[in-house]
Amino acid sequence: MKLLRYGPAGQEKPGLLDANGQVRDLSEHIADLAGDALLPGSIEKLGLINPDSLPLVAGEAQKDLRLGPCVGNVGKFICIGLNYADHAAEAGMDIPSEPVIFNKWTSAIVGPDDDIQVPRNSRKTDWEVELGVIIGQGGSYIEEADALSHIAGFCVVNDVSEREFQIERAGTWDKGKGCDTFGPIGPWLVTPDEVGDFDDLKMWLDVDGKRYQDGSTATMVYKIPHLIAYCSQFMSLQPGDVISTGTPPGVGMGQNPQVYLHGGEVVKLGIEGLGIQTQNVQGG
């Protein structure tokens, strides 16, 4: 299934995408695509619904019908750094001996086609296409062998990053990662049965029509079951938490000369089977 949230910002309703690419309303079945609605039993029940029995929503998704973040009320937005061997090489950094964990503040979360706002005084706003994992069944100290049963679905994430804030100013990476609008999520939550081999998904990102990132989840260093198990050692994972699993090479910081977003650009990105995001960049 492709599950989604549609409507004005802050007033999104739950829905699904039917086989004809039309949005169907799920409001009679769940209040939101969040929390307990993401538990395995709930997802299973949603999968038994005949989409044709659901009310048809007017408009075309991502054209005249806005899509919000594909999961609501996110408790934790966890990110993994330097998790692609070829991206670590481009950054001139060693592959970490353990996964690097940082956070994006949940106030950064926006819909897949909402604008990116360059922060005030920013000089180095960058992009990163990433595979997002949305937790269904929560838990602590999850065994790697059981980790896949804790996934509600997958999605596209743009881990927008301000590199000067992140790297050149005192403190942790977090201050360059969690600015408002720095976390577009969606367009849909795709359930694992529909994703296929998530260890070999093509992923790409364009800025103003130029392809910068053209990679695959195949070069991920720490795979998804390991990341879920690893993160759960340090925090309880809960339904609706998002883990963004790293980016392939081609970020602006890795260009020679470096390329950054200042306002006026259009960023377009996607992952095989998980949909496409398009963002207009607004200057700081």
Side-chain angles (χ1 to χ4, degrees):
M1 286 185 295
K2 291 184 172 71
L3 300 171
L4 54 88
R5 300 169 71 248
Y6 69 92
Q11 302 175 44
E12 291 93 349
K13 296 181 179 181
L16 64 77
L17 196 73
D18 69 18
N20 297 316
Q22 296 176 300
V23 175
R24 300 280 180 163
D25 182 28
L26 280 172
S27 297
E28 293 182 3
H29 297 272
I30 55 173
D32 196 1
L33 195 59
D36 288 350
L38 299 168
L39 291 171
S42 176
I43 295 290
E44 184 178 357
K45 288 179 181 177
L46 294 177
L48 296 175
I49 299 170
N50 180 356
D52 292 340
S53 70
L54 298 170
L56 187 63
V57 178
E60 185 174 352
Q62 299 188 274
K63 292 190 176 177
D64 54 353
L65 177 63
R66 176 188 177 271
L67 297 186
C70 62
V71 58
N73 298 324
V74 175
K76 293 188 289 296
F77 196 169
I78 306 160
C79 298
I80 309 299
L82 300 174
N83 195 36
Y84 282 66
D86 36 10
H87 173 56
E90 121 180 297
M93 299 181 184
D94 294 333
I95 294 173
S97 59
E98 296 186 35
V100 173
I101 299 176
F102 62 91
N103 298 292
K104 294 178 85 76
W105 318 125
T106 56
S107 53
I109 295 173
V110 292
D113 306 308
D114 291 344
D115 293 346
I116 293 171
Q117 179 65 53
V118 174
R120 190 177 300 176
N121 301 318
S122 167
R123 298 188 302 122
K124 298 183 178 181
T125 295
D126 204 347
W127 57 81
E128 297 187 7
V129 59
E130 304 203 0
L131 174 64
V133 177
I134 299 169
I135 298 298
Q137 183 68 54
S140 298
Y141 303 102
I142 296 168
E143 295 292 336
E144 191 167 331
D146 298 329
L148 296 184
S149 67
H150 291 260
I151 298 174
F154 298 89
C155 66
V156 181
V157 175
N158 188 355
D159 175 17
V160 186
S161 309
E162 212 298 345
R163 301 302 188 187
E164 183 181 17
F165 299 177
Q166 174 192 354
I167 298 169
E168 300 174 36
R169 298 177 64 172
T172 64
W173 284 9
D174 304 314
K175 71 169 66 172
K177 292 287 190 171
C179 302
D180 289 355
T181 75
F182 272 26
I185 297 178
W188 14 82
L189 179 160
V190 184
T191 51
D193 60 295
E194 193 168 320
V195 173
D197 184 5
F198 50 80
D199 284 331
D200 191 16
L201 298 176
K202 295 177 181 177
M203 51 202 310
W204 55 271
L205 183 144
D206 297 346
V207 179
D208 290 338
K210 178 178 178 179
R211 180 66 44 96
Y212 281 94
Q213 293 190 271
D214 191 3
S216 167
T217 58
T219 65
M220 195 181 286
V221 177
Y222 296 105
K223 303 298 185 181
I224 288 167
H226 181 78
L227 293 176
I228 292 172
Y230 185 83
C231 289
S232 75
Q233 296 177 46
F234 306 103
M235 67 201 86
S236 62
L237 297 178
Q238 296 157 351
D241 286 349
V242 177
I243 303 176
S244 198
T245 56
T247 196
V251 299
M253 181 176 64
Q255 306 302 308
N256 187 16
Q258 294 178 337
V259 178
Y260 294 111
L261 303 171
H262 302 287
E265 302 89 353
V266 176
V267 179
K268 192 169 186 176
L269 59 149
I271 299 178
E272 180 182 359
L274 301 184
I276 293 172
Q277 300 183 355
T278 305
Q279 293 119 21
N280 292 304
V281 181
Q282 305 298 324

